[in-house]
Amino acid sequence: GTGLTTMCLYIAWWFSGDYPDFLRPFDIPIFLFWALVCAGTTANWEVMLQQNFQANERRRVKVPEKEMRQKAILYRLASWPNLTQLSFMYSIPFGGAAWLQQCTAQWPMQSTPMYHYGIASAMGYALSMFSETLRDRKLVTLEQDLLVLIVGFTFPMVSVLLDGLTYGSAVTISPPEYWALFGFGHLG
C-alpha cells in the first residue's frame, strides 16, 4: 500500500510542474521500479488469495462460501487495477517532457487532470490500505472494506471526469487521444 501510494504521489509530482529536470534522465528506471512494485503487489495479492482458499479447505469449520467469494472480489479489485497504472505511467518515461508539451499545446490544461489523477489515486490507495487495516482489526466488515475499496478505485476516475466537465475543451479525458502508449506525442 505504501509503495503504490508513493508511486501515485510520484505521478502527481511529475505532472505538477515542480518535477526537477535533473530527474528526467532517470524516468525509465523509475518507471521500471514502479512496474516491479505493481507486478509484485498483484502477484502478492494472488498468492494471498490462494493461501486463503487453501487454508479454508484445511479448516474443520470452513469460512462460508459467500465470504470467500467476497474476499476473492476484494483481493482481485485490490490487485489487478494496479497494473492499469502502468499504462498511464508509460507516457512519463517514453513520452517525457516533449510528449507533455504536445499535450498541453493541444489541451492547455491537460496537466491538471493528470496531476489530480495522481493525487486521487494516492488518496484511494491510502484509504483502501487504512480500511484493510481496520478490517484486520475487526473494526469494519468485509463488505464495508469492499465498499471503501470501490470508492478508492473510482475516485481517480471521478476526479478526472470532474476536470473534464470543469475545463471543457482545454483538457481531454480520453486516454486514446493523449497517452503516449497509443502513439500520441511520439516525435518521429
Side-chain angles (χ1 to χ4, degrees):
T2 303
L4 295 170
T5 301
T6 305
M7 175 187 74
C8 293
L9 290 173
Y10 164 77
I11 291 170
W13 186 30
W14 199 90
F15 288 110
S16 72
D18 289 327
Y19 188 74
D21 286 335
F22 77 87
L23 285 178
R24 294 197 189 280
F26 301 102
D27 284 346
I28 290 175
I30 290 170
F31 172 80
L32 294 174
F33 171 76
W34 291 127
L36 286 173
V37 169
C38 283
T41 301
T42 301
N44 180 55
W45 278 105
E46 282 299 315
V47 167
M48 285 174 35
L49 180 61
Q50 292 306 314
Q51 288 174 342
N52 240 306
F53 276 98
Q54 291 168 357
N56 194 44
E57 290 300 316
R58 292 189 298 268
R59 289 187 183 126
R60 193 170 17 220
V61 178
K62 297 189 183 305
V63 174
E65 187 176 328
K66 178 185 176 194
E67 185 175 332
M68 292 305 290
R69 277 196 315 270
Q70 288 174 326
K71 279 188 178 184
I73 291 168
L74 179 77
Y75 283 24
R76 293 224 163 94
L77 189 58
S79 65
W80 287 100
N82 300 336
L83 299 176
T84 64
Q85 297 284 3
L86 299 177
S87 56
F88 177 74
M89 276 186 68
Y90 178 92
S91 299
I92 292 173
F94 299 107
W99 161 79
L100 185 58
Q101 287 170 352
Q102 285 185 341
C103 283
T104 55
Q106 190 162 346
W107 303 285
M109 297 294 296
Q110 191 60 33
S111 292
T112 302
M114 292 190 278
Y115 171 79
H116 288 163
Y117 175 85
I119 289 293
S121 293
M123 290 170 52
Y125 279 122
L127 184 62
S128 175
M129 291 300 110
F130 181 62
S131 181
E132 183 184 349
T133 301
L134 294 176
R135 182 175 50 88
D136 288 345
R137 288 168 174 71
K138 311 280 189 244
L139 297 171
V140 298
T141 65
L142 185 60
E143 291 85 4
Q144 291 167 328
D145 189 22
L146 186 56
L147 181 62
V148 169
L149 180 62
I150 290 168
V151 168
F153 172 73
T154 58
F155 187 55
M157 293 171 266
V158 170
S159 76
V160 170
L161 181 62
L162 288 174
D163 282 336
L165 293 171
T166 303
Y167 297 110
S169 63
V171 300
T172 181
I173 60 171
S174 174
E177 289 184 8
Y178 70 93
W179 283 3
L181 179 67
F182 297 120
F184 183 86
H186 287 286
L187 304 173

